[in-house]
């Protein structure tokens, strides 16, 4: 997920959590449960990105409540990242415009390269046609 | 044609007899007998050749049409055939590229690296440097894989497809068979074969995957060499590595199998949920582990696709599965086109809850294959029509689990899927139009909570 994307629900929730730093005890408890791994369940916020830490491997249960706790933990981490960016410690936040521009340029470069690949393929077919139409002594 | 027809009829009869034997002529029931009978059908299709292998491969992603056990068994269909002689392959290359392999490449190996019924692969080296669409320039001398469609394959496939149409037309006189619309399945086979025979389609899929995974150092997609790629010839960089079945050697060489299993499962989910296109033909020959610890995807001949709406529903279903949430699973299933009869919804929901607990919640590691088979059997028992996309999803998830388990037998794919699925779900739910639609209800709920 791209950091700082205004359309990102997690970012929106993180911003809300930051503004309301006095988040209530219920919220904090949900974050703690999500960070530790849901009661029985693994959560997206429960472990490392590869899901290898947190609750006991393979344990799943808890339904919607477990999912909400895990999301709460994700939002908490997003909030900390947002705090860091606002504190000016995240240099990438300042160069966000540049990053977008680079991505657009890279996408365009790929489009061109893909067209070039197709043209080369057509050229190979034309070469083959030419070779077949040209008598051997001329070739 | 008549000779081929007789050969097909003989093989079909032999296979039918074997299936009847495995089932004890109708007296033997149960999972073991079903699996044994399904294995016989798979072997029969492999004996019948490429068009029938293709038919089986398509049926394997249609558990809505064939019994669940058979659909899963057909997923293991392979076609391994003797290679065409070198002169015939050289002639195809010369016809397609206008020059003999020796003139096009710095070196060319007449001994094939692999041979399937549609194409075979030869190793060669580039004569000149090449700049691929994704990745660094390939210097002269780079080892490449040259995939060549075998001569005569197109005509043989067309003959088999025509025969298959005749057979299904006859079979469709039986009402039970007509209900399955077998002619539509053969038409799918015809279209799929046409796509596979045009290697430029595979080249484009390969480029797309290479770009998608360009920033993932643990995934390798071979680079396409456009100037030597045509309808019948595809040239890509050569990948050296171990098949999943030879992983003992990889581990002895220091490859982190567990890390790769987890990463591979996540990469597959990203294909399904983010790219909207996924490698639909994963088997040991198409997935290698490289000496530098990467997963290499080969052969993009069969690629599945998902729409944006399907991706959202799939993410919901994955989250539901990972968190043991039967209500969410049923809601997401409905969004994927599963029409549950209102009077049967409660018992089906209870049964899904039971399956979630038996195979996922109370099992370590989770057993996705058992869960998927259980759901499909439940729906078939309850006579709930299974949408094709839904069957494909369940099959894909089981494939992910199978591949990861080949790397590490006790890896938990459900647990691995949770972070990727919930990331995609949150991103989907945060689309402005979704937020606008859900905002009033969310505010009402928040106010209710505050005032409670």
């Amino acid at each position: 997920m791209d950091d700082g994307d205004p359309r990102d629900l997690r970012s929106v929730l993180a911003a809300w959590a930051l503004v309301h730093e006095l988040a209530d005890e219920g919220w904090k408890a949900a974050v703690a449960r999500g960070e530790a791994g849901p009661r029985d369940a693994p959560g997206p916020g429960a472990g490392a990105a590869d899901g290898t830490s947190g609750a006991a491997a393979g344990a799943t249960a808890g339904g919607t409540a477990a999912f909400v706790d895990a999301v709460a933990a994700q939002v908490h981490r997003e909030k900390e990242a947002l705090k860091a960016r606002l504190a000016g410690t995240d240099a990438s936040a300042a160069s966000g415009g540049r990053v977008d521009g680079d991505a657009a340029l890279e996408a365009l470069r790929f489009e061109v390269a893909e067209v070039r690949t197709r043209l080369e393929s057509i050229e190979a077919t034309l070469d083959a046609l030419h070779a077949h139409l040209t008598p051997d002594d001329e070739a | 044609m008549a000779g081929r027809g007789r050969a097909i009829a003989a093989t079909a009869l032999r296979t039918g007899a074997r299936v009847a034997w495995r089932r004890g002529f109708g007296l033997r029931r149960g999972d073991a007998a079903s699996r044994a009978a399904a294995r016989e059908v798979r072997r029969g299709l492999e004996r019948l050749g490429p068009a029938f292998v293709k038919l089986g491969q398509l049926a394997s992603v249609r558990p809505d049409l064939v019994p669940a056990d058979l659909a899963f068994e057909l997923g293991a269909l392979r076609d391994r055939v003797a290679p065409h002689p070198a002169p015939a392959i050289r002639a195809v290359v010369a016809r397609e590229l206008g020059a003999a392999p020796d003139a096009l490449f710095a070196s060319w190996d007449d001994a094939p690296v692999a041979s399937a019924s549609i194409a075979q692969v030869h190793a060669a080296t580039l004569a000149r440097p090449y700049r691929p669409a994704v990745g660094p320039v390939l210097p002269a001398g780079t080892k490449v894989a040259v995939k060549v469609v075998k001569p005569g394959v197109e005509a043989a496939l067309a003959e088999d497809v025509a025969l298959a149409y005749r057979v299904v037309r006859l079979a469709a006189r039986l009402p039970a068979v007509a209900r399955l619309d077998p002619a539509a399945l053969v038409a799918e086979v015809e279209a799929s074969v046409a796509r596979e025979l045009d290697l430029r389609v595979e080249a484009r899929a390969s480029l797309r995957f290479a770009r998608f995974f360009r920033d993932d150092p643990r995934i390798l997609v071979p680079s396409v060499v456009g100037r030597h790629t045509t309808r019948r010839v595809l040239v890509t960089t050569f990948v050296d590595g171990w098949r999943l079945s030879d992983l003992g050697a990889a581990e002895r060489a220091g490859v982190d199998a567990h890390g790769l299993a987890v990463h591979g499962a996540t990469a597959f989910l990203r294909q399904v949920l983010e790219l909207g296109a996924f490698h639909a033909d994963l088997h040991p020959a198409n997935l290698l582990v490289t000496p530098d610890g990467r997963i290499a995807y080969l052969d993009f001949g069969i690629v599945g696709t998902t729409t944006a709406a399907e991706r959202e529903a799939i993410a919901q279903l994955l989250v539901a599965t990972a968190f043991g949430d039967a209500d969410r699973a049923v809601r997401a299933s409905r969004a994927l086109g599963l029409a549950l009869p209102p009077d049967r919804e409660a018992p089906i929901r209870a049964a899904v809850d039971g399956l979630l607990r038996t195979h996922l919640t109370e099992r370590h590691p989770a057993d996705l294959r058992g869960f998927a088979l259980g759901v499909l059997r439940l729906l078939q028992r309850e006579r709930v029509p299974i949408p094709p996309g839904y069957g494909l999803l369940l099959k894909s998830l089981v494939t992910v689990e199978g591949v990861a388990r080949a790397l590490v037998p006790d890896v938990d794919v459900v647990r691995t899927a949770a972070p990727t699925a919930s990331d995609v779900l949150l991103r989907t739910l945060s689309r402005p139009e979704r937020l606008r639609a859900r905002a009033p209800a969310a505010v009402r709920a928040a106010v209710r909570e505050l005032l409670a």
Side-chain angles (χ1 to χ4, degrees), chain B residues 11-156:
Chain B
T11 307
L13 278 173
R14 268 201 306 275
T15 303
R18 287 193 177 110
V19 169
W21 172 257
R22 295 289 186 188
R23 286 201 164 278
F25 298 96
L27 297 174
R28 203 176 295 145
R29 298 195 182 278
D31 293 352
S34 291
R35 277 198 300 273
R39 257 197 308 277
E40 291 298 347
V41 174
R42 171 179 55 84
R43 287 175 187 150
L45 290 170
E46 282 173 348
R47 277 191 288 271
L48 284 169
F52 291 87
V53 166
K54 182 59 55 192
L55 185 77
Q57 283 172 339
L58 284 177
S60 80
V61 293
R62 300 293 301 271
D64 51 313
L65 291 182
V66 298
D69 287 307
L70 182 57
F72 277 70
E73 180 62 34
L74 293 180
L77 267 173
R78 301 284 171 272
D79 49 350
R80 285 178 290 266
V81 297
H84 264 52
I89 297 300
R90 282 172 167 268
V92 174
V93 174
R95 194 177 61 241
E96 285 290 307
L97 296 171
D102 298 324
L104 294 163
F105 299 99
S107 70
W108 167 270
D109 192 348
D110 272 333
V113 177
S115 175
S117 47
I118 289 184
Q120 66 189 54
V121 179
H122 289 258
T125 52
L126 287 181
R128 289 180 287 139
Y130 180 76
R131 186 182 172 202
V134 181
V137 171
L138 308 171
T142 298
K143 192 175 178 187
V144 289
V146 185
K147 183 173 181 178
V148 183
V149 173
K150 292 175 174 179
V153 160
E154 194 168 9

Side-chain angles (χ1 to χ4, degrees), chain B residues 328-360:
Chain B
R328 189 185 289 269
V330 169
R331 272 204 311 277
S333 298
R334 209 180 282 125
L336 281 167
L338 199 72
L340 299 178
D343 60 324
R344 301 293 303 144
E345 188 169 326
I348 289 175
R349 187 189 302 256
V352 169
D353 193 38
L355 287 167
L356 277 168
R357 267 187 282 114
T358 311
H359 294 284
L360 306 180

Side-chain angles (χ1 to χ4, degrees), chain B residues 170-235:
Chain B
L170 283 172
R173 291 180 186 173
L174 301 167
V177 177
R179 191 174 54 82
L180 303 176
D181 197 6
L185 195 59
V186 176
E188 275 186 48
V189 173
E190 201 175 8
S192 175
V193 162
R195 278 195 301 275
E196 264 197 87
L197 282 171
D198 187 345
L199 296 179
R200 293 171 302 185
V201 176
E202 185 178 336
R204 282 198 288 278
S206 190
L207 285 175
R208 215 174 144 202
F209 275 78
R211 178 169 186 264
F212 184 74
F213 284 115
R214 68 192 181 286
D215 295 330
D216 189 334
R218 300 187 78 178
I219 300 288
L220 174 63
V221 178
S223 298
V224 173
V225 180
R227 71 161 176 251
H228 295 325
T229 293
T230 63
R231 200 158 161 251
R232 300 286 186 246
V233 177
L234 169 64
V235 179

Side-chain angles (χ1 to χ4, degrees), chain A:
Chain A
M1 196 175 288
D2 296 328
D3 281 346
D5 182 353
R7 293 167 300 172
D8 178 337
L9 183 61
R10 209 162 47 193
S11 299
V12 172
L13 292 174
W16 173 84
L18 182 62
V19 171
H20 299 271
E21 188 67 78
L22 42 96
D24 65 16
E25 291 308 311
W27 163 260
K28 286 175 185 164
V31 170
R33 285 194 301 270
E35 290 287 1
R39 291 160 288 284
D40 293 314
D50 63 6
T52 51
S53 62
T60 51
T64 303
F67 177 55
V68 171
D69 288 349
V71 170
Q74 283 189 331
V75 170
H76 175 72
R77 280 206 296 275
E78 191 76 19
K79 186 199 76 177
E80 293 304 316
L82 179 62
K83 258 165 132 175
R85 282 201 296 275
L86 291 175
T89 54
D90 188 343
S92 67
S95 59
R98 168 72 188 276
V99 171
D100 287 349
D102 285 351
L105 193 62
E106 195 281 326
L108 192 60
R109 201 187 294 279
F110 173 75
E111 295 289 334
V112 172
E114 197 200 6
V115 171
R116 173 172 58 80
T117 309
R118 287 198 202 194
L119 286 174
E120 285 169 346
S121 174
I122 294 169
E123 200 175 8
T125 305
L126 284 173
D127 286 347
L129 271 173
H130 182 257
H132 292 309
L133 295 173
T134 310
D136 285 349
D137 52 342
E138 276 183 42

